[in-house]
Short mmCIF file of all heavy atoms in Angstrom, two decimals:
data_model
loop_
_atom_site.label_atom_id
_atom_site.label_comp_id
_atom_site.label_asym_id
_atom_site.label_seq_id
_atom_site.Cartn_x
_atom_site.Cartn_y
_atom_site.Cartn_z
N ALA L 213 -5.79 -2.26 7.09
CA ALA L 213 -5.67 -3.24 6.01
C ALA L 213 -4.38 -4.05 6.16
O ALA L 213 -4.39 -5.27 5.98
CB ALA L 213 -5.71 -2.53 4.65
N GLU L 214 -3.27 -3.40 6.53
CA GLU L 214 -2.02 -4.11 6.74
C GLU L 214 -2.13 -5.10 7.89
O GLU L 214 -1.64 -6.22 7.80
CB GLU L 214 -0.88 -3.13 7.01
CG GLU L 214 -0.37 -2.44 5.77
CD GLU L 214 0.84 -1.57 6.06
OE1 GLU L 214 1.55 -1.82 7.04
OE2 GLU L 214 1.07 -0.65 5.28
N LEU L 215 -2.78 -4.68 8.98
CA LEU L 215 -2.95 -5.58 10.12
C LEU L 215 -3.75 -6.83 9.74
O LEU L 215 -3.49 -7.92 10.23
CB LEU L 215 -3.66 -4.87 11.27
CG LEU L 215 -2.86 -3.83 12.03
CD1 LEU L 215 -3.75 -3.10 13.04
CD2 LEU L 215 -1.70 -4.49 12.76
N LEU L 216 -4.74 -6.64 8.86
CA LEU L 216 -5.61 -7.75 8.46
C LEU L 216 -5.06 -8.53 7.26
O LEU L 216 -5.56 -9.60 6.94
CB LEU L 216 -7.01 -7.22 8.13
CG LEU L 216 -7.78 -6.60 9.29
CD1 LEU L 216 -9.06 -5.94 8.79
CD2 LEU L 216 -8.10 -7.64 10.34
N GLY L 217 -4.07 -7.96 6.58
CA GLY L 217 -3.52 -8.62 5.39
C GLY L 217 -4.44 -8.55 4.19
O GLY L 217 -4.52 -9.49 3.40
N ILE L 218 -5.15 -7.43 4.07
CA ILE L 218 -6.08 -7.23 2.94
C ILE L 218 -5.81 -5.86 2.33
O ILE L 218 -4.96 -5.12 2.80
CB ILE L 218 -7.55 -7.34 3.40
CG1 ILE L 218 -7.87 -6.29 4.46
CG2 ILE L 218 -7.84 -8.74 3.92
CD1 ILE L 218 -9.34 -6.24 4.86
N SER L 219 -6.58 -5.50 1.31
CA SER L 219 -6.38 -4.21 0.66
C SER L 219 -7.13 -3.09 1.38
O SER L 219 -8.11 -3.34 2.08
CB SER L 219 -6.88 -4.28 -0.80
OG SER L 219 -8.29 -4.37 -0.82
N ARG L 220 -6.65 -1.87 1.20
CA ARG L 220 -7.32 -0.71 1.77
C ARG L 220 -8.70 -0.55 1.15
O ARG L 220 -9.65 -0.13 1.81
CB ARG L 220 -6.49 0.56 1.52
CG ARG L 220 -7.11 1.79 2.19
CD ARG L 220 -6.71 3.08 1.52
NE ARG L 220 -7.02 3.14 0.11
CZ ARG L 220 -8.22 3.40 -0.41
NH1 ARG L 220 -9.27 3.59 0.36
NH2 ARG L 220 -8.39 3.46 -1.72
N GLN L 221 -8.84 -0.94 -0.10
CA GLN L 221 -10.13 -0.84 -0.78
C GLN L 221 -11.19 -1.71 -0.11
O GLN L 221 -12.36 -1.34 -0.07
CB GLN L 221 -10.00 -1.21 -2.27
CG GLN L 221 -9.22 -0.21 -3.09
CD GLN L 221 -7.71 -0.32 -2.97
OE1 GLN L 221 -7.18 -1.19 -2.30
NE2 GLN L 221 -7.00 0.59 -3.62
N ALA L 222 -10.77 -2.87 0.42
CA ALA L 222 -11.73 -3.74 1.13
C ALA L 222 -12.27 -3.02 2.36
O ALA L 222 -13.47 -3.05 2.63
CB ALA L 222 -11.06 -5.05 1.52
N ILE L 223 -11.38 -2.35 3.11
CA ILE L 223 -11.81 -1.60 4.29
C ILE L 223 -12.77 -0.50 3.87
O ILE L 223 -13.82 -0.29 4.50
CB ILE L 223 -10.60 -0.97 5.02
CG1 ILE L 223 -9.57 -2.04 5.43
CG2 ILE L 223 -11.05 -0.15 6.23
CD1 ILE L 223 -10.03 -3.03 6.43
N SER L 224 -12.45 0.19 2.79
CA SER L 224 -13.31 1.26 2.28
C SER L 224 -14.69 0.73 1.92
O SER L 224 -15.71 1.37 2.23
CB SER L 224 -12.65 1.91 1.07
OG SER L 224 -13.48 2.91 0.54
N LYS L 225 -14.75 -0.44 1.29
CA LYS L 225 -16.04 -1.04 0.92
C LYS L 225 -16.85 -1.40 2.16
O LYS L 225 -18.07 -1.18 2.19
CB LYS L 225 -15.83 -2.28 0.05
CG LYS L 225 -15.44 -1.93 -1.37
CD LYS L 225 -15.30 -3.17 -2.23
CE LYS L 225 -14.92 -2.80 -3.64
NZ LYS L 225 -14.78 -3.98 -4.50
N TRP L 226 -16.20 -1.93 3.19
CA TRP L 226 -16.91 -2.27 4.42
C TRP L 226 -17.51 -1.01 5.03
O TRP L 226 -18.67 -1.00 5.45
CB TRP L 226 -15.99 -2.89 5.45
CG TRP L 226 -15.34 -4.19 5.07
CD1 TRP L 226 -15.64 -4.99 4.00
CD2 TRP L 226 -14.27 -4.81 5.74
NE1 TRP L 226 -14.82 -6.08 3.98
CE2 TRP L 226 -13.96 -6.00 5.04
CE3 TRP L 226 -13.53 -4.50 6.87
CZ2 TRP L 226 -12.96 -6.86 5.45
CZ3 TRP L 226 -12.53 -5.36 7.28
CH2 TRP L 226 -12.24 -6.53 6.57
N GLU L 227 -16.70 0.05 5.09
CA GLU L 227 -17.13 1.27 5.76
C GLU L 227 -18.16 2.06 4.96
O GLU L 227 -18.89 2.87 5.52
CB GLU L 227 -15.93 2.14 6.10
CG GLU L 227 -15.05 1.52 7.15
CD GLU L 227 -13.86 2.35 7.56
OE1 GLU L 227 -13.66 3.46 7.02
OE2 GLU L 227 -13.11 1.90 8.45
N SER L 228 -18.22 1.83 3.67
CA SER L 228 -19.23 2.52 2.85
C SER L 228 -20.48 1.66 2.67
O SER L 228 -21.42 2.07 1.99
CB SER L 228 -18.64 2.90 1.49
OG SER L 228 -18.33 1.72 0.75
N GLY L 229 -20.49 0.46 3.22
CA GLY L 229 -21.65 -0.42 3.12
C GLY L 229 -21.73 -1.18 1.81
O GLY L 229 -22.75 -1.80 1.52
N GLN L 230 -20.65 -1.18 1.02
CA GLN L 230 -20.65 -1.89 -0.26
C GLN L 230 -20.22 -3.35 -0.13
O GLN L 230 -20.25 -4.10 -1.10
CB GLN L 230 -19.72 -1.18 -1.25
CG GLN L 230 -20.18 0.22 -1.59
CD GLN L 230 -19.17 0.93 -2.46
OE1 GLN L 230 -18.24 0.32 -2.99
NE2 GLN L 230 -19.34 2.22 -2.63
N GLY L 231 -19.80 -3.73 1.08
CA GLY L 231 -19.38 -5.11 1.32
C GLY L 231 -19.29 -5.34 2.81
O GLY L 231 -19.42 -4.39 3.61
N ASN L 232 -19.05 -6.58 3.20
CA ASN L 232 -18.94 -6.93 4.61
C ASN L 232 -17.72 -7.82 4.82
O ASN L 232 -17.37 -8.61 3.94
CB ASN L 232 -20.18 -7.69 5.09
CG ASN L 232 -21.41 -6.82 5.09
OD1 ASN L 232 -21.37 -5.68 5.55
ND2 ASN L 232 -22.51 -7.35 4.57
N PRO L 233 -17.09 -7.72 5.99
CA PRO L 233 -15.94 -8.59 6.28
C PRO L 233 -16.38 -10.04 6.43
O PRO L 233 -17.49 -10.31 6.87
CB PRO L 233 -15.39 -8.03 7.60
CG PRO L 233 -16.51 -7.26 8.20
CD PRO L 233 -17.38 -6.80 7.08
N ASP L 234 -15.49 -10.96 6.03
CA ASP L 234 -15.80 -12.37 6.24
C ASP L 234 -15.55 -12.72 7.71
O ASP L 234 -15.04 -11.91 8.48
CB ASP L 234 -15.00 -13.27 5.30
CG ASP L 234 -13.49 -13.18 5.50
OD1 ASP L 234 -13.04 -12.75 6.59
OD2 ASP L 234 -12.75 -13.53 4.56
N ILE L 235 -15.90 -13.93 8.10
CA ILE L 235 -15.83 -14.32 9.51
C ILE L 235 -14.41 -14.26 10.05
O ILE L 235 -14.19 -13.85 11.20
CB ILE L 235 -16.47 -15.72 9.74
CG1 ILE L 235 -16.62 -16.02 11.23
CG2 ILE L 235 -15.66 -16.80 9.07
CD1 ILE L 235 -17.62 -15.16 11.93
N ASP L 236 -13.41 -14.63 9.24
CA ASP L 236 -12.02 -14.58 9.69
C ASP L 236 -11.62 -13.14 10.02
O ASP L 236 -10.95 -12.89 11.02
CB ASP L 236 -11.07 -15.14 8.63
CG ASP L 236 -11.24 -16.65 8.46
OD1 ASP L 236 -11.62 -17.32 9.44
OD2 ASP L 236 -11.00 -17.14 7.34
N ASN L 237 -12.02 -12.19 9.18
CA ASN L 237 -11.68 -10.80 9.44
C ASN L 237 -12.47 -10.23 10.62
O ASN L 237 -11.96 -9.38 11.35
CB ASN L 237 -11.87 -9.95 8.19
CG ASN L 237 -10.76 -10.19 7.20
OD1 ASN L 237 -9.61 -10.31 7.56
ND2 ASN L 237 -11.10 -10.27 5.92
N ILE L 238 -13.69 -10.69 10.81
CA ILE L 238 -14.46 -10.24 11.98
C ILE L 238 -13.76 -10.68 13.26
O ILE L 238 -13.63 -9.91 14.21
CB ILE L 238 -15.91 -10.77 11.92
CG1 ILE L 238 -16.67 -10.06 10.80
CG2 ILE L 238 -16.61 -10.56 13.27
CD1 ILE L 238 -18.03 -10.64 10.50
N ILE L 239 -13.26 -11.91 13.27
CA ILE L 239 -12.53 -12.41 14.45
C ILE L 239 -11.27 -11.58 14.68
O ILE L 239 -10.96 -11.20 15.82
CB ILE L 239 -12.23 -13.91 14.29
CG1 ILE L 239 -13.53 -14.71 14.34
CG2 ILE L 239 -11.24 -14.39 15.35
CD1 ILE L 239 -13.40 -16.16 13.93
N LYS L 240 -10.55 -11.29 13.61
CA LYS L 240 -9.34 -10.45 13.75
C LYS L 240 -9.71 -9.06 14.27
O LYS L 240 -8.99 -8.50 15.10
CB LYS L 240 -8.62 -10.33 12.41
CG LYS L 240 -7.95 -11.61 11.96
CD LYS L 240 -7.34 -11.43 10.58
CE LYS L 240 -6.79 -12.72 10.00
NZ LYS L 240 -6.27 -12.53 8.64
N LEU L 241 -10.83 -8.52 13.80
CA LEU L 241 -11.25 -7.19 14.25
C LEU L 241 -11.59 -7.18 15.74
O LEU L 241 -11.31 -6.21 16.44
CB LEU L 241 -12.46 -6.71 13.43
CG LEU L 241 -12.17 -6.34 11.98
CD1 LEU L 241 -13.46 -6.15 11.20
CD2 LEU L 241 -11.31 -5.09 11.89
N THR L 242 -12.18 -8.29 16.25
CA THR L 242 -12.48 -8.35 17.68
C THR L 242 -11.20 -8.27 18.50
O THR L 242 -11.19 -7.65 19.57
CB THR L 242 -13.25 -9.64 18.06
OG1 THR L 242 -12.44 -10.78 17.83
CG2 THR L 242 -14.56 -9.75 17.31
N LYS L 243 -10.13 -8.87 18.00
CA LYS L 243 -8.85 -8.84 18.71
C LYS L 243 -8.21 -7.46 18.62
O LYS L 243 -7.66 -6.96 19.60
CB LYS L 243 -7.92 -9.91 18.15
CG LYS L 243 -8.40 -11.32 18.46
CD LYS L 243 -7.53 -12.36 17.82
CE LYS L 243 -8.09 -13.75 18.11
NZ LYS L 243 -7.32 -14.79 17.46
N ILE L 244 -8.28 -6.87 17.46
CA ILE L 244 -7.67 -5.54 17.27
C ILE L 244 -8.38 -4.50 18.13
O ILE L 244 -7.75 -3.69 18.80
CB ILE L 244 -7.71 -5.14 15.78
CG1 ILE L 244 -6.75 -6.03 14.98
CG2 ILE L 244 -7.37 -3.66 15.60
CD1 ILE L 244 -6.89 -5.90 13.48
N TYR L 245 -9.72 -4.52 18.12
CA TYR L 245 -10.49 -3.49 18.82
C TYR L 245 -10.87 -3.86 20.24
O TYR L 245 -11.43 -3.04 20.97
CB TYR L 245 -11.76 -3.17 18.03
CG TYR L 245 -11.52 -2.59 16.66
CD1 TYR L 245 -12.27 -3.01 15.58
CD2 TYR L 245 -10.56 -1.63 16.44
CE1 TYR L 245 -12.07 -2.49 14.32
CE2 TYR L 245 -10.34 -1.09 15.18
CZ TYR L 245 -11.09 -1.53 14.12
OH TYR L 245 -10.88 -1.00 12.88
N GLN L 246 -10.59 -5.12 20.64
CA GLN L 246 -10.92 -5.58 21.98
C GLN L 246 -12.42 -5.47 22.27
O GLN L 246 -12.83 -4.96 23.31
CB GLN L 246 -10.11 -4.80 23.03
CG GLN L 246 -8.61 -4.93 22.89
CD GLN L 246 -8.10 -6.29 23.33
OE1 GLN L 246 -8.34 -6.69 24.45
NE2 GLN L 246 -7.41 -6.99 22.45
N VAL L 247 -13.24 -5.90 21.32
CA VAL L 247 -14.70 -5.91 21.47
C VAL L 247 -15.21 -7.29 21.09
O VAL L 247 -14.50 -8.08 20.49
CB VAL L 247 -15.40 -4.82 20.61
CG1 VAL L 247 -14.97 -3.43 21.04
CG2 VAL L 247 -15.13 -5.04 19.13
N SER L 248 -16.47 -7.55 21.40
CA SER L 248 -17.07 -8.85 21.07
C SER L 248 -17.57 -8.86 19.62
O SER L 248 -17.78 -7.81 19.01
CB SER L 248 -18.25 -9.13 22.00
OG SER L 248 -19.31 -8.23 21.73
N THR L 249 -17.75 -10.07 19.12
CA THR L 249 -18.34 -10.20 17.78
C THR L 249 -19.77 -9.66 17.78
O THR L 249 -20.22 -9.11 16.79
CB THR L 249 -18.33 -11.66 17.29
OG1 THR L 249 -18.94 -12.48 18.28
CG2 THR L 249 -16.92 -12.13 17.02
N ASP L 250 -20.48 -9.84 18.91
CA ASP L 250 -21.84 -9.29 19.02
C ASP L 250 -21.83 -7.79 18.81
O ASP L 250 -22.73 -7.25 18.17
CB ASP L 250 -22.45 -9.61 20.38
CG ASP L 250 -23.01 -11.02 20.46
OD1 ASP L 250 -23.06 -11.69 19.41
OD2 ASP L 250 -23.40 -11.43 21.56
N TYR L 251 -20.84 -7.13 19.38
CA TYR L 251 -20.80 -5.67 19.21
C TYR L 251 -20.51 -5.30 17.76
O TYR L 251 -21.17 -4.44 17.19
CB TYR L 251 -19.77 -5.00 20.13
CG TYR L 251 -19.77 -3.51 19.92
CD1 TYR L 251 -20.82 -2.73 20.41
CD2 TYR L 251 -18.80 -2.89 19.16
CE1 TYR L 251 -20.88 -1.38 20.17
CE2 TYR L 251 -18.84 -1.53 18.92
CZ TYR L 251 -19.89 -0.78 19.43
OH TYR L 251 -19.94 0.56 19.17
N ILE L 252 -19.54 -5.97 17.14
CA ILE L 252 -19.21 -5.64 15.75
C ILE L 252 -20.41 -5.91 14.84
O ILE L 252 -20.78 -5.06 14.04
CB ILE L 252 -17.97 -6.43 15.27
CG1 ILE L 252 -16.72 -5.88 15.96
CG2 ILE L 252 -17.82 -6.33 13.74
CD1 ILE L 252 -15.44 -6.58 15.60
N LEU L 253 -21.02 -7.07 14.97
CA LEU L 253 -22.09 -7.46 14.06
C LEU L 253 -23.43 -6.81 14.37
O LEU L 253 -24.16 -6.41 13.46
CB LEU L 253 -22.25 -8.98 14.06
CG LEU L 253 -21.07 -9.77 13.51
CD1 LEU L 253 -21.27 -11.26 13.75
CD2 LEU L 253 -20.85 -9.47 12.04
N LEU L 254 -23.77 -6.72 15.66
CA LEU L 254 -25.12 -6.29 16.04
C LEU L 254 -25.17 -5.00 16.83
O LEU L 254 -26.25 -4.44 17.04
CB LEU L 254 -25.80 -7.41 16.85
CG LEU L 254 -25.82 -8.79 16.18
CD1 LEU L 254 -26.30 -9.84 17.16
CD2 LEU L 254 -26.70 -8.75 14.94
#
């Protein structure tokens, strides 16, 4: 959450399926995890 500049609760919601990251956060996640957007999304 600190790396993304968001709350820990947002991460918790994504991981529990109660919400999804927006496109800006998906792009940041690809950089953090060194994976493609296709892998994260699909």
Side-chain angles (χ1 to χ4, degrees):
E214 282 185 24
L215 287 174
L216 296 172
I218 60 174
S219 70
R220 184 205 56 79
Q221 290 81 2
I223 303 295
S224 178
K225 285 182 180 180
W226 298 348
E227 292 182 359
S228 66
Q230 296 175 11
N232 293 315
D234 63 21
I235 190 68
D236 291 331
N237 285 320
I238 290 171
I239 292 169
K240 290 176 187 177
L241 289 169
T242 65
K243 292 176 182 177
I244 291 169
Y245 297 138
Q246 300 287 304
V247 297
S248 68
T249 53
D250 279 352
Y251 180 73
I252 289 179
L253 295 172
L254 306 170

